[in-house]
């Protein structure tokens, strides 16, 4: 059922052929779009809140398609790829919802807990809200990087019976994950290399800056930070993310939240896109997965593209075409 989709080859911009350049450009290059956005706070079962930003095309009616877009580790609803994808779906008549994960974007001051790789329940809650709001019609969902891991984990847990199957679950037509860190321990080990210190510095600084105010006031958080802030992602996870989120340490956190442990149970037709030169999520996370993918899942690995880059000539983005064609909305 997955062999009928064959995306075109990715041809990187001639000046952005290296993975690091693609990765940096994906953050630096901006995209402007005039979207009629409406923000919705979504209450979660544990009392926390996330935000959805709705872009509804003119003439959209119940039964027409909708799509949920989930950002990555340091992103939010206004990240370049989020706006670019939402605009593409909106112009094609699909009702787009851009998600702000806990403590991110417009929901920064509403959060009472930390966002992390295992927050798949938040993604399912957002999909449930969309299903109720749209009444009928197919739903597509696309997760980028950390958001992709959350998505895959949620679908796998439902397919494997670890979480109950929602009544609306059959409305999810297809899913897509871009550069998901399906093996968090391997990704963290990769970031421990000396050559990766600029990425660690960027991620740690950004993540500490967006710690919700209510978490920042906790004595546990202040003790975890101490006089010297963490220097690497793994140190941050050991000292802050894991203990403040109910995990023993980073190893426990990585093993319990990596989507690779449940991907085999994913019942939804899913496309995973990754790049061989991704400096953040090592390609062997995917190539070593072997024959463990279910028949519902297709993996496409391009030689180049960096981490969520895929920038072609004239600022075109290969990822956009793949997303629109795969989700079929």
């Amino acid at each position: 059922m997955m062999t009928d989709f064959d995306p075109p080859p990715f041809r990187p911009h001639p000046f952005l052929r290296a993975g690091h350049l693609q990765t940096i450009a994906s953050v630096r290059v901006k995209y402007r779009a005039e979207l009629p956005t409406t923000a919705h706070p979504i209450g979660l079962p544990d009392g926390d809140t996330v935000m959805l930003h709705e872009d509804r095309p003119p003439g959209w009616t119940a039964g027409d398609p909708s799509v949920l877009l989930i950002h990555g580790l340091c992103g939010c609803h206004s990240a370049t790829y989020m706006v670019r994808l939402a605009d593409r779906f909106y112009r094609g008549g699909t009702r787009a919802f851009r998600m702000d994960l806990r403590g991110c974007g417009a929901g920064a001051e509403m959060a009472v807990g930390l966002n992390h790789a295992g927050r798949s329940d938040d993604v399912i809650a957002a999909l449930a809200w969309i299903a109720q709001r749209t009444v009928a019609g197919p739903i597509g969902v696309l997760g980028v990087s950390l958001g992709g891991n959350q998505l895959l984990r949620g679908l796998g847990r439902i397919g494997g019976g670890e979480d109950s199957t929602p009544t609306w679950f059959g409305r999810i037509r297809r899913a897509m994950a871009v550069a998901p860190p399906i093996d968090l321990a391997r990704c963290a080990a990769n970031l421990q290399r000396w050559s990766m210190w600029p990425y660690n510095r960027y991620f740690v600084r950004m993540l500490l800056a967006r710690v919700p105010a209510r978490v920042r006031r906790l004595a546990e958080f202040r003790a975890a930070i101490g006089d010297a802030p963490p220097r690497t992602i793994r140190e941050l996870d050991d000292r802050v993310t894991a203990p403040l989120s109910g995990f023993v340490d980073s190893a426990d956190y990585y093993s319990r939240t990596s989507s690779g442990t449940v991907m085999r149970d994913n019942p939804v037709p899913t496309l995973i896109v990754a790049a061989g030169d991704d400096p953040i999520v090592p390609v062997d996370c995917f190539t070593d997965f072997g024959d463990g993918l279910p028949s519902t899942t297709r993996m496409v690995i391009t030689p180049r593209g960096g981490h969520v880059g895929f920038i072609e000539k004239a600022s075109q983005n290969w990822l956009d075409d793949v997303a629109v064609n795969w989700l079929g909305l």
Side-chain angles (χ1 to χ4, degrees), residues 20-56:
H20 291 293
L21 293 176
Q22 283 276 333
T23 302
I24 295 169
S26 71
V27 178
R28 297 291 186 182
V29 176
K30 302 302 180 184
Y31 182 89
R32 298 184 183 278
E34 295 295 329
L35 294 169
T37 305
T38 303
H40 305 281
I42 310 300
L44 301 173
D46 65 357
D48 215 320
T49 305
V50 295
M51 293 287 291
L52 287 182
H53 301 263
E54 175 188 359
D55 302 307
R56 181 173 179 171

Side-chain angles (χ1 to χ4, degrees), residues 7-317:
F10 167 61
R11 296 183 174 87
H13 191 289
F15 299 139
L16 300 172
R17 297 187 63 81
H20 291 293
L21 293 176
Q22 283 276 333
T23 302
I24 295 169
S26 71
V27 178
R28 297 291 186 182
V29 176
K30 302 302 180 184
Y31 182 89
R32 298 184 183 278
E34 295 295 329
L35 294 169
T37 305
T38 303
H40 305 281
I42 310 300
L44 301 173
D46 65 357
D48 215 320
T49 305
V50 295
M51 293 287 291
L52 287 182
H53 301 263
E54 175 188 359
D55 302 307
R56 181 173 179 171
W60 189 97
T61 60
D64 290 342
S66 304
V67 63
L68 172 65
L69 304 174
I70 313 158
H71 63 79
L73 182 62
C74 291
C76 68
H77 74 281
S78 62
T80 296
Y81 55 84
M82 294 283 279
V83 176
R84 199 182 64 232
L85 286 164
D87 186 47
R88 182 69 179 268
F89 282 110
Y90 172 84
R91 288 187 285 111
T94 295
R95 190 175 179 180
F97 295 86
R98 290 172 282 153
M99 185 175 183
D100 272 332
L101 298 169
R102 296 190 192 210
C104 303
E109 299 305 316
M110 299 181 182
V112 297
L114 292 173
N115 181 42
H116 61 69
R119 296 291 192 191
S120 49
D121 288 352
D122 295 3
V123 172
I124 300 303
L127 284 167
W129 188 92
I130 292 171
Q132 183 180 32
R133 182 91 172 185
T134 56
V135 182
I139 299 173
V141 55
L142 185 154
V144 174
S145 195
L146 188 79
N149 183 79
Q150 293 175 334
L151 170 61
L152 294 174
R153 183 175 184 270
L155 298 179
R157 285 178 61 86
I158 289 174
E162 295 183 57
D163 294 331
S164 59
T165 303
T167 56
W168 48 263
F169 195 67
R171 287 177 57 192
I172 302 179
R173 174 184 287 176
R174 285 187 172 186
M176 180 172 169
V178 183
I182 64 174
D183 185 337
L184 290 163
R186 190 175 302 204
C187 293
N190 171 62
L191 285 169
Q192 288 291 111
R193 294 182 296 134
W194 180 87
S195 61
M196 298 298 288
W197 74 263
Y199 289 103
N200 278 286
R201 183 180 179 184
Y202 172 79
F203 286 137
V204 171
R205 178 171 55 85
M206 292 290 289
L207 292 172
L208 288 178
R210 64 168 52 183
V211 171
R214 299 180 193 183
V215 176
R216 201 176 286 277
R217 290 193 291 266
L218 295 175
E220 295 91 336
F221 175 77
R222 295 197 300 271
I225 293 299
D227 296 327
R231 293 170 297 176
T232 67
I233 284 290
R234 189 160 71 184
E235 188 180 351
L236 178 70
D237 289 338
D238 247 331
R239 290 169 54 183
V240 179
T241 310
L244 268 64
S245 302
F247 303 99
V248 176
D249 53 22
S250 62
D252 180 48
Y253 165 52
Y254 296 153
S255 67
R256 290 170 56 186
T257 63
S258 293
S259 59
T261 62
V262 296
M263 276 170 47
R264 294 172 177 82
D265 299 317
N266 178 12
V268 176
T270 298
L271 179 69
I272 298 175
V273 174
D277 62 356
D278 187 330
I280 296 169
V281 180
V283 70
D284 56 15
C285 288
F286 307 103
T287 56
D288 288 355
F289 208 78
D291 298 327
L293 290 177
S295 61
T296 55
T297 300
R298 168 83 184 276
M299 194 175 287
V300 172
I301 301 175
T302 62
R304 302 182 185 275
H307 187 70
V308 199
F310 303 106
I311 300 169
E312 295 185 311
K313 62 181 180 179
S315 298
Q316 294 176 334
N317 197 285

